[in-house]
Amino acid sequence: MLRLTPGTSMTFIGDQPLIVSQSRRAIYELNQIAGYIGCRLEDGISVSRLAQEVADRGVSHSSVMLHKVLADWSQSGLVHATVRPPASPPILTQRMSLGALTFALRYHDEALARQISPLFAHVETDPPPEEALTSYDLWQNEGLCLFSRDGGPAALLQLNQAATLVKAQVVQDIIDDPRWTLALHAGCVSRDGKALLLSGPPGAGKTTLISWLIGNGFAYYGDDISMLGPDGRVRGLPFLPTVKSGAWPMMAARYPGRLQPLIHWRPDGRRVRYLDLPQTTGQEPLPVGWIVKLRRTKGAPARLIQQHPAALVKHLLSEAASSSGEADRSAIDIMIRTVGAASTCMLEYDDLDEAAALLGEFCGPA
């Protein structure tokens, strides 16, 4: 059964249907068919019944449209499925350790297990029985993936986006752990027991550059998010590197046979594949030795540009997240001390080999 979430309701201004979300303090304008869907969700309705009613109203490709609407609304916190996970035992339980937390993915569908489990196989673990687990259940219903956290109401995911959104939920649960000071939008590799953090805007090439550093004197800790602890140490989140479609040929040539064949879609419409790592990932907290902001410039020779620590603090804070939703004074002080103790610069580059060699020199011999 599908329903609008508590605090979400339908209303009209004239003939304009609207969804009102109290929790988000937002109003969403709808077209007429979306307004019909919203009204039916207020009453509670099954996926199959709603799909039939939408098709009866002459909507072309009604199933595809309905799946997209339901998944988009679910991501926005407007709708959920009230059904609970299947009572039967899962066909696969995958336990993993990330960000000092343990998780269990419980698959009730073989297709979902084949699609999603390869993303987490490298961080699988057998936690002690007394260690608390956050459990996720995944199953299919009428062409949608249902995803429940700790047995609660299920989110609705499009099948081709399920893997990326499961990963995003795991990341959010780690960020929400108050033991961490901040989540930094930065990739992390290590050398000689110290972390090199790589940050930069979208398109700066964090993942591709990190893939060039792996095995060349650097160990992999994560390509996107690094958790900053109260002691100023960082712990990367070593998910498999996410490779966008434009970099598939290059990655396939550098790491033959390691680019996973399955294609996944992100909610922003980008197609991605995941790179199996050529070495074991690390997860122990590390002191920060170097912080580099990336600026990829077409045709530019690789060069290091002096970067004042204050500029890097400002940049990292602008993209950071925390369990409280803000960076308090204590978090800012920890960030200032961490950046102040590290060697900092900006790397402008185009060629990956040049950039990797220059970072190797910047961080000193392995």
Side-chain angles (χ1 to χ4, degrees):
M1 187 72 69
L2 307 181
R3 287 189 180 276
L4 295 180
T5 55
T8 303
S9 59
M10 287 293 303
T11 190
F12 289 81
I13 298 180
D15 61 355
Q16 173 66 62
L18 306 169
I19 283 185
V20 179
S21 172
Q22 296 178 26
S23 62
R24 290 179 174 256
R25 300 187 184 131
I27 295 176
Y28 301 84
E29 297 182 18
L30 309 177
N31 60 30
Q32 292 303 309
I33 189 62
Y36 177 82
I37 292 170
C39 290
R40 297 298 284 127
L41 291 171
E42 271 199 313
D43 301 329
I45 189 171
S46 68
V47 178
S48 58
R49 175 78 178 274
L50 185 56
Q52 185 60 56
E53 291 184 9
V54 171
D56 290 345
R57 276 152 181 79
V59 177
S60 60
H61 307 291
S62 58
S63 179
V64 174
M65 183 278 292
L66 180 61
H67 287 176
K68 184 178 188 312
V69 168
L70 292 175
D72 288 348
W73 288 6
S74 182
Q75 280 182 255
S76 299
L78 305 178
V79 62
H80 63 219
T82 59
V83 293
R84 295 303 191 232
S88 58
I91 63 169
L92 172 67
T93 297
Q94 190 175 38
R95 291 178 174 83
M96 58 187 182
S97 177
L98 281 164
L101 297 176
T102 52
F103 302 89
L105 292 175
R106 296 158 43 92
Y107 301 93
H108 301 269
D109 179 88
E110 289 185 7
L112 289 175
R114 288 195 302 269
Q115 178 184 354
I116 298 172
S117 64
L119 273 64
F120 305 106
H122 66 297
V123 288
E124 285 187 44
T125 186
D126 291 318
E130 68 274 8
E131 188 167 356
L133 287 172
T134 297
S135 294
Y136 305 106
D137 286 274
L138 298 105
W139 69 103
Q140 283 201 55
N141 184 11
E142 300 291 337
L144 285 167
C145 171
L146 272 61
F147 178 48
S148 171
R149 182 183 187 276
D150 290 335
L156 308 167
L157 314 179
Q158 294 189 78
L159 296 181
N160 62 3
Q161 295 181 1
T164 62
L165 291 173
V166 169
K167 173 186 168 183
Q169 181 59 61
V170 172
V171 170
Q172 188 60 56
D173 278 342
I174 295 170
I175 292 173
D176 289 341
D177 183 349
R179 290 178 295 175
W180 294 111
T181 299
L182 290 171
L184 306 179
H185 188 198
C188 181
V189 293
S190 73
R191 172 178 276 185
D192 293 334
K194 294 188 293 185
L196 162 62
L197 297 181
L198 298 174
S199 185
K206 290 194 303 293
T207 297
T208 49
L209 182 52
I210 284 172
S211 76
W212 249 245
L213 295 172
I214 296 173
N216 292 334
F218 291 89
Y220 179 75
Y221 276 68
D223 73 330
D224 192 44
I225 303 291
S226 299
M227 305 304 298
L228 177 68
D231 59 357
R233 291 175 174 250
V234 296
R235 186 193 295 249
L237 299 185
F239 295 101
L240 296 181
T242 304
V243 184
K244 299 172 186 173
S245 57
W248 292 348
M250 176 176 58
M251 287 297 194
R254 184 169 181 85
Y255 293 109
R258 293 194 176 273
L259 193 61
Q260 292 188 356
L262 285 178
I263 296 172
H264 306 272
W265 290 77
R266 299 194 317 198
D268 62 5
R270 300 296 295 267
R271 294 179 303 147
V272 300
R273 292 163 68 184
Y274 292 93
L275 182 69
D276 282 327
L277 295 171
Q279 64 182 53
T280 304
T281 59
Q283 293 199 50
E284 67 272 16
L286 298 171
V288 179
W290 312 273
I291 304 175
V292 176
K293 184 179 179 181
L294 302 179
R295 183 169 72 188
R296 195 159 195 180
T297 304
K298 188 173 179 59
R303 64 177 183 136
L304 297 177
I305 303 169
Q306 186 175 2
Q307 190 82 352
H308 195 280
L312 277 176
V313 169
K314 182 178 179 181
H315 166 70
L316 290 169
L317 283 174
S318 71
E319 297 187 332
S322 70
S323 59
S324 66
E326 61 183 21
D328 58 20
R329 179 54 190 267
S330 174
I332 293 172
D333 287 343
I334 292 167
M335 174 72 82
I336 289 172
R337 289 197 301 271
T338 300
V339 176
S343 300
T344 59
C345 70
M346 176 183 286
L347 170 63
E348 184 177 45
Y349 76 104
D350 184 25
D351 184 83
L352 288 163
D353 289 321
E354 289 182 6
L358 199 56
L359 283 179
E361 294 173 9
F362 177 64
C363 298

